Amino acid sequence: MKIHFYRSIKKLFITIGLLALILFIDQSQANRPVQAQESKTTAFVNVNIIPMDTERVLENQTVIVEEGLITAIGLTDEITIPDGAEIIDGQGGYLMPGLAD
């Protein structure tokens, strides 16, 4: 009788574990970030960039973001800002990649 009880408990835990896994997978699919649908261009000018590849700072840079994607990075004097872009003057501020899950 004890063996039957332990088998039932084991089946219950396996069922609960599978349900939790299914709910976790379903929830992770629902929480995916959605890329913005805007067709907007933004230029961050006069910023210092902190890249994540090495310990360094890229000073006096311009970053062009088009439709949610970075399309150009370079010295402020060398980058051409597209017509109609929203310009955000960083005035020596810092720009680094966003941290997300």
Coordinates of all heavy atoms in Angstrom, one line a residue:
M1 N 0.8 -1.2 0.0 CA 0.0 0.0 0.0 C 0.9 1.3 0.0 O 0.5 2.2 -0.7 CB -0.9 0.0 1.2 CG -1.9 1.1 1.2 SD -3.5 0.5 1.7 CE -4.1 1.9 2.4
K2 N 2.0 1.2 0.7 CA 2.9 2.4 0.8 C 3.5 2.6 -0.6 O 3.6 3.8 -1.0 CB 4.0 2.1 1.7 CG 3.9 2.8 3.1 CD 5.1 2.6 3.9 CE 5.1 3.4 5.1 NZ 6.2 3.3 5.9
I3 N 3.8 1.6 -1.3 CA 4.4 1.7 -2.7 C 3.4 2.4 -3.6 O 3.8 3.3 -4.4 CB 4.9 0.3 -3.2 CG1 6.0 -0.2 -2.4 CG2 5.3 0.4 -4.7 CD1 6.5 -1.6 -2.7
H4 N 2.2 2.0 -3.6 CA 1.1 2.6 -4.4 C 1.0 4.1 -4.1 O 0.8 4.9 -5.0 CB -0.2 1.9 -4.2 CG -1.3 2.4 -5.0 ND1 -1.3 2.3 -6.4 CD2 -2.4 3.1 -4.7 CE1 -2.4 2.9 -6.9 NE2 -3.1 3.4 -5.9
F5 N 1.0 4.4 -2.8 CA 1.0 5.8 -2.4 C 2.1 6.6 -2.9 O 1.9 7.7 -3.4 CB 0.9 5.9 -0.8 CG 1.0 7.3 -0.3 CD1 -0.2 8.1 -0.3 CD2 2.1 7.8 0.2 CE1 -0.1 9.4 0.2 CE2 2.2 9.1 0.7 CZ 1.0 9.9 0.7
Y6 N 3.4 6.1 -2.8 CA 4.5 6.8 -3.3 C 4.5 7.0 -4.8 O 4.9 8.0 -5.4 CB 5.8 6.1 -2.9 CG 6.1 6.3 -1.4 CD1 6.3 5.2 -0.6 CD2 6.2 7.6 -0.9 CE1 6.5 5.4 0.8 CE2 6.4 7.8 0.5 CZ 6.6 6.7 1.3 OH 6.9 6.8 2.6
R7 N 4.0 5.9 -5.5 CA 3.8 6.1 -7.0 C 2.8 7.1 -7.4 O 3.0 7.9 -8.3 CB 3.4 4.7 -7.6 CG 4.5 3.7 -7.7 CD 4.1 2.5 -8.3 NE 5.1 1.5 -8.3 CZ 4.9 0.2 -8.5 NH1 3.7 -0.3 -8.8 NH2 5.9 -0.6 -8.5
S8 N 1.7 7.2 -6.6 CA 0.7 8.3 -6.9 C 1.3 9.7 -6.6 O 1.1 10.6 -7.4 CB -0.5 8.1 -6.0 OG -1.1 6.8 -6.3
I9 N 2.1 9.8 -5.5 CA 2.7 11.1 -5.2 C 3.7 11.4 -6.3 O 3.8 12.6 -6.8 CB 3.4 11.0 -3.9 CG1 2.4 10.9 -2.7 CG2 4.3 12.3 -3.6 CD1 1.5 12.1 -2.6
K10 N 4.5 10.4 -6.8 CA 5.5 10.7 -7.9 C 4.8 11.1 -9.1 O 5.2 12.1 -9.8 CB 6.3 9.4 -8.1 CG 7.4 9.6 -9.1 CD 8.1 8.3 -9.3 CE 9.2 8.4 -10.3 NZ 9.9 7.1 -10.5
K11 N 3.7 10.5 -9.5 CA 2.9 10.9 -10.7 C 2.4 12.3 -10.5 O 2.4 13.1 -11.5 CB 1.8 9.9 -11.0 CG 2.2 8.6 -11.5 CD 1.0 7.7 -11.8 CE 1.4 6.3 -12.2 NZ 0.3 5.4 -12.5
L12 N 1.9 12.6 -9.3 CA 1.4 14.0 -9.1 C 2.5 15.0 -9.2 O 2.3 16.0 -9.9 CB 0.8 14.0 -7.6 CG 0.3 15.4 -7.2 CD1 -0.9 15.8 -8.0 CD2 -0.1 15.4 -5.7
F13 N 3.7 14.8 -8.7 CA 4.8 15.7 -8.8 C 5.2 15.9 -10.3 O 5.5 17.0 -10.8 CB 5.9 15.4 -8.0 CG 5.8 15.8 -6.5 CD1 5.8 14.8 -5.5 CD2 5.6 17.1 -6.2 CE1 5.6 15.2 -4.2 CE2 5.4 17.5 -4.9 CZ 5.4 16.5 -3.9
I14 N 5.2 14.8 -11.0 CA 5.6 14.8 -12.4 C 4.6 15.6 -13.2 O 4.9 16.5 -14.0 CB 5.7 13.4 -13.0 CG1 7.0 12.7 -12.5 CG2 5.8 13.4 -14.5 CD1 7.1 11.3 -12.8
T15 N 3.3 15.4 -12.9 CA 2.2 16.2 -13.6 C 2.3 17.7 -13.3 O 2.2 18.5 -14.2 CB 0.8 15.7 -13.2 OG1 0.8 14.3 -13.5 CG2 -0.3 16.4 -13.9
I16 N 2.5 18.0 -12.0 CA 2.7 19.4 -11.6 C 3.9 20.0 -12.3 O 3.8 21.2 -12.8 CB 2.8 19.5 -10.1 CG1 1.4 19.2 -9.4 CG2 3.2 20.9 -9.6 CD1 1.4 19.1 -7.9
G17 N 5.0 19.3 -12.3 CA 6.2 19.8 -13.0 C 6.0 20.1 -14.5 O 6.4 21.1 -15.0
L18 N 5.3 19.2 -15.2 CA 5.0 19.3 -16.6 C 4.1 20.5 -16.8 O 4.3 21.3 -17.7 CB 4.4 18.1 -17.2 CG 5.4 16.9 -17.3 CD1 4.6 15.7 -17.8 CD2 6.5 17.2 -18.3
L19 N 3.1 20.7 -15.9 CA 2.2 21.8 -16.1 C 2.9 23.2 -15.8 O 2.7 24.1 -16.6 CB 1.0 21.7 -15.1 CG -0.1 20.7 -15.5 CD1 -1.1 20.6 -14.3 CD2 -0.8 21.1 -16.7
A20 N 3.8 23.2 -14.8 CA 4.6 24.4 -14.6 C 5.5 24.7 -15.8 O 5.7 25.8 -16.1 CB 5.5 24.2 -13.3
L21 N 6.1 23.7 -16.4 CA 6.9 23.9 -17.6 C 6.1 24.4 -18.7 O 6.6 25.4 -19.4 CB 7.6 22.5 -18.0 CG 8.5 22.6 -19.2 CD1 9.7 23.5 -18.9 CD2 9.0 21.2 -19.5
I22 N 5.0 23.9 -18.9 CA 4.1 24.4 -20.0 C 3.7 25.9 -19.8 O 3.8 26.7 -20.7 CB 2.9 23.5 -20.2 CG1 3.2 22.2 -20.7 CG2 1.8 24.2 -21.1 CD1 2.2 21.1 -20.7
L23 N 3.4 26.2 -18.5 CA 3.0 27.6 -18.2 C 4.2 28.5 -18.3 O 4.1 29.6 -18.8 CB 2.5 27.6 -16.8 CG 1.1 27.1 -16.6 CD1 0.7 27.0 -15.1 CD2 0.0 27.8 -17.4
F24 N 5.4 28.0 -18.0 CA 6.6 28.8 -18.1 C 6.9 29.1 -19.6 O 7.2 30.2 -19.9 CB 7.8 28.1 -17.4 CG 9.1 28.8 -17.7 CD1 9.4 30.0 -16.9 CD2 10.0 28.3 -18.6 CE1 10.6 30.6 -17.1 CE2 11.2 29.0 -18.8 CZ 11.5 30.1 -18.1
I25 N 6.8 28.1 -20.4 CA 7.1 28.3 -21.8 C 6.1 29.2 -22.4 O 6.4 30.1 -23.2 CB 7.1 26.9 -22.6 CG1 8.3 26.1 -22.1 CG2 7.1 27.1 -24.1 CD1 8.3 24.7 -22.6
D26 N 4.8 29.1 -22.1 CA 3.8 29.9 -22.6 C 4.0 31.4 -22.2 O 3.8 32.3 -22.9 CB 2.4 29.4 -22.1 CG 1.3 30.2 -22.7 OD1 1.3 30.4 -24.0 OD2 0.4 30.7 -22.0
Q27 N 4.4 31.6 -20.9 CA 4.6 32.9 -20.4 C 5.8 33.6 -21.0 O 5.8 34.7 -21.3 CB 4.8 32.8 -18.8 CG 4.8 34.2 -18.2 CD 3.4 34.9 -18.2 OE1 2.4 34.3 -18.5 NE2 3.4 36.1 -18.0
S28 N 6.9 32.8 -21.3 CA 8.0 33.4 -21.9 C 7.8 33.8 -23.3 O 8.3 34.8 -23.8 CB 9.2 32.4 -21.8 OG 9.0 31.3 -22.7
Q29 N 6.9 33.1 -24.0 CA 6.5 33.5 -25.3 C 5.7 34.8 -25.3 O 5.8 35.7 -26.2 CB 5.6 32.4 -26.0 CG 6.4 31.1 -26.2 CD 7.5 31.2 -27.2 OE1 7.4 32.0 -28.2 NE2 8.5 30.5 -27.0
A30 N 4.8 35.0 -24.3 CA 4.0 36.2 -24.2 C 4.8 37.4 -23.8 O 4.4 38.5 -24.1 CB 2.9 35.9 -23.2
N31 N 5.9 37.2 -23.1 CA 6.6 38.4 -22.6 C 7.8 38.8 -23.5 O 8.6 39.6 -23.2 CB 7.2 38.1 -21.2 CG 6.2 38.1 -20.2 OD1 5.2 38.7 -20.3 ND2 6.4 37.3 -19.1
R32 N 7.8 38.3 -24.8 CA 8.8 38.7 -25.7 C 8.7 40.2 -26.0 O 7.6 40.7 -26.2 CB 8.7 38.0 -27.0 CG 9.3 36.7 -27.0 CD 9.4 36.1 -28.4 NE 9.8 34.7 -28.3 CZ 9.7 33.9 -29.3 NH1 9.2 34.3 -30.4 NH2 10.1 32.7 -29.2
P33 N 9.8 40.9 -26.0 CA 9.7 42.4 -26.4 C 9.2 42.5 -27.8 O 9.6 41.8 -28.7 CB 11.1 42.9 -26.2 CG 12.0 41.7 -26.1 CD 11.2 40.5 -25.7
V34 N 8.4 43.5 -28.0 CA 7.9 43.8 -29.4 C 8.7 45.0 -29.9 O 8.8 46.0 -29.2 CB 6.4 44.1 -29.3 CG1 5.9 44.5 -30.7 CG2 5.6 42.9 -28.7
Q35 N 9.2 44.8 -31.1 CA 10.0 45.9 -31.7 C 9.0 47.0 -32.1 O 7.9 46.8 -32.6 CB 10.7 45.5 -32.9 CG 11.7 46.5 -33.5 CD 12.5 46.0 -34.6 OE1 12.4 44.8 -35.0 NE2 13.4 46.8 -35.1
A36 N 9.4 48.2 -31.8 CA 8.5 49.4 -32.1 C 8.3 49.4 -33.6 O 9.1 49.1 -34.4 CB 9.2 50.7 -31.7
Q37 N 7.1 49.8 -34.0 CA 6.7 49.8 -35.4 C 6.9 51.2 -36.0 O 6.5 51.5 -37.1 CB 5.2 49.4 -35.5 CG 5.0 48.0 -35.1 CD 5.7 47.0 -35.9 OE1 5.7 47.1 -37.2 NE2 6.3 46.0 -35.3
E38 N 7.5 52.1 -35.2 CA 7.7 53.5 -35.7 C 8.7 53.5 -36.9 O 9.7 52.8 -36.8 CB 8.1 54.4 -34.6 CG 7.2 54.5 -33.5 CD 7.7 55.4 -32.4 OE1 8.6 56.2 -32.7 OE2 7.2 55.3 -31.3
S39 N 8.5 54.3 -37.9 CA 9.5 54.5 -38.9 C 10.2 55.8 -38.6 O 10.1 56.7 -39.4 CB 8.9 54.4 -40.3 OG 7.9 55.5 -40.4
K40 N 10.8 55.9 -37.5 CA 11.4 57.1 -37.0 C 12.9 57.0 -36.9 O 13.4 55.9 -36.6 CB 10.8 57.4 -35.6 CG 11.3 58.6 -34.9 CD 10.5 58.7 -33.6 CE 11.1 59.8 -32.7 NZ 10.4 59.8 -31.4
T41 N 13.6 58.1 -37.2 CA 15.0 58.1 -37.1 C 15.4 59.1 -36.0 O 14.9 60.2 -35.9 CB 15.7 58.6 -38.4 OG1 15.3 57.7 -39.5 CG2 17.2 58.6 -38.4
T42 N 16.4 58.6 -35.1 CA 16.8 59.4 -34.0 C 18.4 59.5 -34.1 O 19.0 58.5 -34.4 CB 16.4 58.8 -32.7 OG1 15.0 58.6 -32.7 CG2 16.8 59.6 -31.5
A43 N 18.9 60.6 -33.8 CA 20.4 60.8 -33.8 C 20.8 61.3 -32.4 O 20.3 62.3 -32.0 CB 20.8 61.8 -34.9
F44 N 21.6 60.5 -31.8 CA 22.2 60.9 -30.5 C 23.5 61.5 -30.8 O 24.4 60.8 -31.3 CB 22.3 59.7 -29.6 CG 21.0 59.0 -29.2 CD1 20.5 58.0 -30.0 CD2 20.3 59.4 -28.1 CE1 19.3 57.4 -29.6 CE2 19.1 58.8 -27.8 CZ 18.6 57.8 -28.5
V45 N 23.7 62.8 -30.6 CA 24.9 63.5 -30.9 C 25.7 63.9 -29.7 O 25.1 64.1 -28.6 CB 24.7 64.7 -31.9 CG1 24.1 64.2 -33.2 CG2 23.8 65.7 -31.2
N46 N 27.0 64.1 -29.8 CA 27.9 64.5 -28.7 C 27.8 63.6 -27.5 O 27.7 64.1 -26.4 CB 27.5 66.0 -28.3 CG 27.7 67.0 -29.4 OD1 28.6 66.9 -30.2 ND2 26.7 67.8 -29.6
V47 N 27.8 62.3 -27.7 CA 27.7 61.4 -26.6 C 29.1 60.6 -26.5 O 29.8 60.5 -27.5 CB 26.6 60.4 -26.7 CG1 25.2 61.1 -26.6 CG2 26.6 59.6 -28.0
N48 N 29.3 60.1 -25.3 CA 30.4 59.2 -25.1 C 29.8 57.8 -25.0 O 28.9 57.6 -24.3 CB 31.2 59.5 -23.8 CG 31.7 60.9 -23.9 OD1 32.4 61.3 -24.8 ND2 31.5 61.7 -22.8
I49 N 30.3 56.9 -25.8 CA 29.7 55.5 -25.9 C 30.6 54.6 -25.1 O 31.8 54.6 -25.1 CB 29.7 55.0 -27.4 CG1 28.8 55.9 -28.2 CG2 29.2 53.6 -27.4 CD1 28.8 55.6 -29.6
I50 N 29.9 53.8 -24.3 CA 30.6 52.7 -23.5 C 30.2 51.4 -24.1 O 29.2 50.8 -23.9 CB 30.1 52.7 -22.0 CG1 30.4 54.1 -21.4 CG2 30.8 51.6 -21.2 CD1 29.9 54.3 -20.0
P51 N 31.1 50.9 -25.0 CA 30.9 49.6 -25.6 C 31.1 48.4 -24.6 O 31.8 48.6 -23.6 CB 31.9 49.5 -26.8 CG 33.0 50.4 -26.3 CD 32.4 51.4 -25.4
M52 N 30.5 47.3 -24.8 CA 30.6 46.2 -23.9 C 31.7 45.2 -24.3 O 31.9 44.2 -23.6 CB 29.2 45.5 -23.8 CG 28.1 46.3 -23.2 SD 28.3 46.6 -21.5 CE 28.7 48.3 -21.4
D53 N 32.4 45.4 -25.4 CA 33.4 44.5 -25.8 C 34.8 44.6 -25.1 O 35.5 43.6 -24.9 CB 33.6 44.6 -27.3 CG 34.1 45.9 -27.8 OD1 34.1 46.9 -27.0 OD2 34.5 46.0 -29.0
T54 N 35.1 45.9 -24.7 CA 36.4 46.1 -23.9 C 36.1 47.3 -23.0 O 35.1 48.0 -23.1 CB 37.6 46.4 -24.9 OG1 37.2 47.6 -25.6 CG2 37.9 45.3 -25.8
E55 N 37.0 47.5 -22.1 CA 36.9 48.6 -21.2 C 37.5 49.8 -21.8 O 38.7 50.1 -21.8 CB 37.7 48.3 -19.9 CG 37.0 47.2 -19.0 CD 37.7 47.0 -17.7 OE1 38.3 48.0 -17.2 OE2 37.5 45.9 -17.1
R56 N 36.6 50.6 -22.5 CA 37.0 51.8 -23.1 C 35.8 52.7 -23.3 O 34.7 52.3 -23.0 CB 37.6 51.5 -24.5 CG 36.6 50.9 -25.5 CD 37.3 50.4 -26.8 NE 36.3 49.6 -27.5 CZ 36.2 49.7 -28.8 NH1 36.9 50.4 -29.5 NH2 35.3 48.9 -29.4
V57 N 36.1 54.0 -23.6 CA 35.0 55.0 -23.9 C 35.3 55.6 -25.3 O 36.4 56.0 -25.5 CB 35.0 56.0 -22.8 CG1 34.0 57.1 -23.1 CG2 34.7 55.4 -21.4
L58 N 34.3 55.6 -26.1 CA 34.4 56.2 -27.4 C 33.8 57.6 -27.2 O 32.6 57.8 -27.0 CB 33.6 55.5 -28.5 CG 34.0 54.0 -28.7 CD1 33.1 53.3 -29.6 CD2 35.5 53.9 -29.1
E59 N 34.7 58.6 -27.3 CA 34.3 60.0 -27.0 C 33.8 60.7 -28.2 O 34.2 60.5 -29.4 CB 35.4 60.8 -26.4 CG 35.8 60.2 -25.0 CD 37.0 60.9 -24.4 OE1 37.7 61.7 -25.1 OE2 37.2 60.7 -23.2
N60 N 32.9 61.7 -28.0 CA 32.4 62.6 -29.0 C 31.8 61.9 -30.2 O 32.2 62.1 -31.4 CB 33.4 63.6 -29.5 CG 32.9 64.8 -30.2 OD1 31.7 65.2 -30.0 ND2 33.6 65.3 -31.1
Q61 N 30.8 61.0 -30.0 CA 30.2 60.2 -31.0 C 28.8 60.6 -31.3 O 28.1 61.2 -30.6 CB 30.2 58.7 -30.5 CG 31.6 58.1 -30.2 CD 32.4 57.8 -31.4 OE1 32.0 57.1 -32.3 NE2 33.6 58.4 -31.4
T62 N 28.4 60.1 -32.5 CA 27.0 60.3 -32.9 C 26.5 58.9 -33.2 O 27.2 58.1 -33.9 CB 26.8 61.2 -34.2 OG1 27.1 62.5 -33.8 CG2 25.4 61.1 -34.7
V63 N 25.3 58.5 -32.8 CA 24.7 57.2 -33.0 C 23.3 57.5 -33.7 O 22.5 58.3 -33.3 CB 24.4 56.5 -31.7 CG1 23.7 55.2 -31.9 CG2 25.7 56.3 -30.9
I64 N 23.2 56.9 -34.9 CA 21.9 57.0 -35.7 C 21.1 55.7 -35.5 O 21.6 54.6 -35.7 CB 22.2 57.2 -37.2 CG1 23.2 58.3 -37.4 CG2 20.9 57.3 -38.0 CD1 22.6 59.7 -37.1
V65 N 19.9 55.9 -35.1 CA 18.9 54.8 -34.9 C 17.8 55.0 -35.8 O 17.1 56.0 -35.8 CB 18.4 54.7 -33.4 CG1 17.5 53.6 -33.2 CG2 19.6 54.6 -32.4
E66 N 17.6 54.0 -36.7 CA 16.5 54.0 -37.7 C 15.6 52.8 -37.5 O 16.1 51.7 -37.5 CB 17.0 54.0 -39.1 CG 17.9 55.3 -39.4 CD 18.4 55.3 -40.8 OE1 17.7 55.8 -41.7 OE2 19.5 54.8 -41.0
E67 N 14.3 53.1 -37.2 CA 13.3 52.0 -37.1 C 13.7 51.0 -36.0 O 13.6 49.8 -36.1 CB 13.0 51.3 -38.4 CG 12.4 52.3 -39.4 CD 12.0 51.6 -40.7 OE1 11.8 50.4 -40.7 OE2 11.9 52.3 -41.7
G68 N 14.3 51.6 -34.9 CA 14.7 50.7 -33.8 C 16.0 50.0 -33.9 O 16.4 49.3 -33.0
L69 N 16.8 50.2 -34.9 CA 18.1 49.6 -35.1 C 19.2 50.6 -35.3 O 19.0 51.6 -36.0 CB 18.0 48.7 -36.4 CG 17.0 47.5 -36.4 CD1 17.0 46.8 -37.7 CD2 17.4 46.6 -35.3
I70 N 20.3 50.4 -34.7 CA 21.5 51.3 -34.8 C 22.0 51.1 -36.2 O 22.3 49.9 -36.6 CB 22.5 50.9 -33.8 CG1 22.0 51.2 -32.4 CG2 23.8 51.8 -34.0 CD1 22.9 50.7 -31.3
T71 N 22.1 52.2 -37.0 CA 22.5 52.1 -38.4 C 23.9 52.7 -38.6 O 24.6 52.4 -39.6 CB 21.5 52.7 -39.4 OG1 21.3 54.0 -39.0 CG2 20.2 51.9 -39.3
A72 N 24.3 53.6 -37.7 CA 25.6 54.2 -37.8 C 26.1 54.7 -36.5 O 25.4 55.2 -35.6 CB 25.5 55.4 -38.8
I73 N 27.4 54.6 -36.3 CA 28.1 55.1 -35.1 C 29.4 55.7 -35.6 O 30.1 55.1 -36.4 CB 28.5 54.0 -34.1 CG1 27.2 53.3 -33.6 CG2 29.3 54.5 -32.9 CD1 27.4 52.1 -32.7
G74 N 29.8 56.9 -35.1 CA 31.0 57.5 -35.5 C 31.2 58.8 -34.9 O 30.4 59.3 -34.1
L75 N 32.4 59.4 -35.2 CA 32.7 60.7 -34.6 C 31.6 61.7 -35.1 O 31.2 61.7 -36.2 CB 34.1 61.2 -35.1 CG 35.2 60.5 -34.4 CD1 36.5 60.8 -35.1 CD2 35.3 60.8 -32.9
T76 N 31.2 62.6 -34.2 CA 30.2 63.6 -34.4 C 30.5 64.4 -35.7 O 29.6 64.7 -36.5 CB 30.0 64.5 -33.2 OG1 29.5 63.7 -32.1 CG2 28.9 65.6 -33.5
D77 N 31.7 64.7 -35.9 CA 32.1 65.5 -37.1 C 32.0 64.7 -38.4 O 32.0 65.3 -39.5 CB 33.5 66.1 -36.9 CG 33.6 67.1 -35.8 OD1 32.6 67.6 -35.3 OD2 34.7 67.3 -35.3
E78 N 32.0 63.4 -38.3 CA 32.1 62.6 -39.5 C 30.7 61.9 -39.9 O 30.6 61.4 -41.0 CB 33.1 61.5 -39.3 CG 34.5 62.1 -39.1 CD 35.6 61.0 -38.8 OE1 35.2 59.8 -38.8 OE2 36.7 61.4 -38.6
I79 N 29.8 61.9 -39.1 CA 28.5 61.3 -39.3 C 27.5 62.3 -39.9 O 27.3 63.4 -39.4 CB 27.9 60.6 -38.1 CG1 28.8 59.5 -37.6 CG2 26.5 60.1 -38.3 CD1 28.8 58.3 -38.5
T80 N 26.8 61.9 -41.0 CA 25.8 62.7 -41.6 C 24.4 62.3 -41.0 O 24.0 61.1 -41.1 CB 25.7 62.6 -43.1 OG1 27.0 62.9 -43.6 CG2 24.7 63.4 -43.7
I81 N 23.7 63.3 -40.4 CA 22.4 63.0 -39.8 C 21.4 63.1 -40.9 O 21.3 64.0 -41.6 CB 22.1 64.0 -38.7 CG1 23.2 63.9 -37.6 CG2 20.7 63.8 -38.1 CD1 23.1 64.9 -36.5
P82 N 20.5 62.0 -41.0 CA 19.5 62.0 -42.1 C 18.5 63.1 -41.9 O 18.2 63.5 -40.7 CB 18.8 60.6 -41.9 CG 19.8 59.8 -41.1 CD 20.6 60.8 -40.3
D83 N 18.0 63.6 -43.0 CA 16.9 64.7 -42.9 C 15.7 64.2 -42.1 O 15.3 63.0 -42.3 CB 16.5 65.1 -44.3 CG 17.6 65.8 -45.1 OD1 18.4 66.4 -44.4 OD2 17.6 65.8 -46.3
G84 N 15.1 65.0 -41.3 CA 13.9 64.7 -40.6 C 14.2 63.9 -39.3 O 13.2 63.5 -38.6
A85 N 15.5 63.6 -39.0 CA 15.8 62.8 -37.8 C 15.6 63.7 -36.5 O 15.8 64.9 -36.5 CB 17.2 62.3 -37.8
E86 N 15.1 63.0 -35.5 CA 15.0 63.7 -34.2 C 16.4 63.7 -33.6 O 17.1 62.7 -33.6 CB 14.1 62.9 -33.3 CG 14.0 63.5 -31.9 CD 13.2 62.7 -30.9 OE1 12.6 61.7 -31.3 OE2 13.0 63.2 -29.8
I87 N 16.9 64.9 -33.2 CA 18.3 65.0 -32.7 C 18.2 65.2 -31.2 O 17.5 66.0 -30.7 CB 19.0 66.2 -33.4 CG1 19.1 66.0 -34.9 CG2 20.3 66.4 -32.8 CD1 19.6 67.2 -35.6
I88 N 19.0 64.3 -30.6 CA 19.1 64.4 -29.1 C 20.5 64.7 -28.8 O 21.4 63.9 -29.1 CB 18.6 63.1 -28.4 CG1 17.2 62.8 -28.8 CG2 18.9 63.1 -26.9 CD1 16.7 61.5 -28.3
D89 N 20.8 65.9 -28.3 CA 22.1 66.3 -27.9 C 22.5 65.8 -26.6 O 21.9 66.2 -25.6 CB 22.2 67.8 -28.0 CG 23.7 68.3 -27.9 OD1 24.6 67.5 -27.7 OD2 23.9 69.6 -28.0
G90 N 23.5 64.9 -26.5 CA 23.9 64.3 -25.3 C 24.8 65.2 -24.5 O 25.1 64.9 -23.3
Q91 N 25.4 66.2 -25.1 CA 26.3 67.2 -24.4 C 27.3 66.5 -23.5 O 27.4 66.8 -22.3 CB 25.5 68.2 -23.6 CG 24.5 69.0 -24.4 CD 23.7 70.0 -23.6 OE1 23.9 70.1 -22.4 NE2 22.9 70.8 -24.2
G92 N 28.0 65.6 -24.0 CA 29.1 64.9 -23.2 C 28.6 63.8 -22.3 O 29.3 63.3 -21.5
G93 N 27.3 63.5 -22.4 CA 26.7 62.4 -21.6 C 27.2 61.0 -22.1 O 28.0 60.9 -23.1
Y94 N 26.7 60.0 -21.5 CA 27.2 58.6 -21.8 C 26.0 57.8 -22.4 O 24.9 57.9 -22.0 CB 27.7 58.0 -20.6 CG 29.1 58.5 -20.2 CD1 29.1 59.7 -19.5 CD2 30.3 58.0 -20.6 CE1 30.4 60.3 -19.1 CE2 31.5 58.5 -20.3 CZ 31.5 59.7 -19.6 OH 32.7 60.2 -19.2
L95 N 26.4 57.0 -23.4 CA 25.4 56.1 -24.0 C 26.0 54.7 -23.9 O 27.1 54.5 -24.3 CB 25.2 56.5 -25.4 CG 24.0 55.9 -26.2 CD1 22.7 56.3 -25.6 CD2 24.0 56.4 -27.7
M96 N 25.2 53.7 -23.5 CA 25.6 52.3 -23.4 C 24.5 51.4 -23.8 O 23.3 51.9 -23.8 CB 26.1 52.0 -22.0 CG 25.1 52.1 -20.9 SD 25.8 51.7 -19.3 CE 25.6 49.9 -19.3
P97 N 24.8 50.2 -24.2 CA 23.7 49.3 -24.6 C 22.7 49.1 -23.4 O 23.1 49.1 -22.3 CB 24.4 48.0 -24.8 CG 25.8 48.3 -25.1 CD 26.1 49.6 -24.3
G98 N 21.4 48.9 -23.8 CA 20.4 48.6 -22.8 C 20.6 47.2 -22.2 O 21.1 46.3 -22.8
L99 N 20.3 47.1 -20.9 CA 20.4 45.8 -20.3 C 19.0 45.2 -20.1 O 18.1 45.8 -19.6 CB 21.1 46.0 -18.9 CG 22.4 46.7 -18.9 CD1 22.9 47.0 -17.5 CD2 23.4 46.0 -19.7
A100 N 18.9 44.0 -20.7 CA 17.6 43.4 -20.7 C 17.7 41.9 -20.4 O 18.8 41.3 -20.5 CB 16.9 43.6 -22.0
D101 N 16.6 41.2 -20.1 CA 16.6 39.8 -19.9 C 16.9 39.1 -21.2 O 16.4 39.4 -22.3 CB 15.3 39.3 -19.4 CG 15.1 39.8 -17.9 OD1 16.1 39.8 -17.2 OD2 14.0 40.0 -17.6

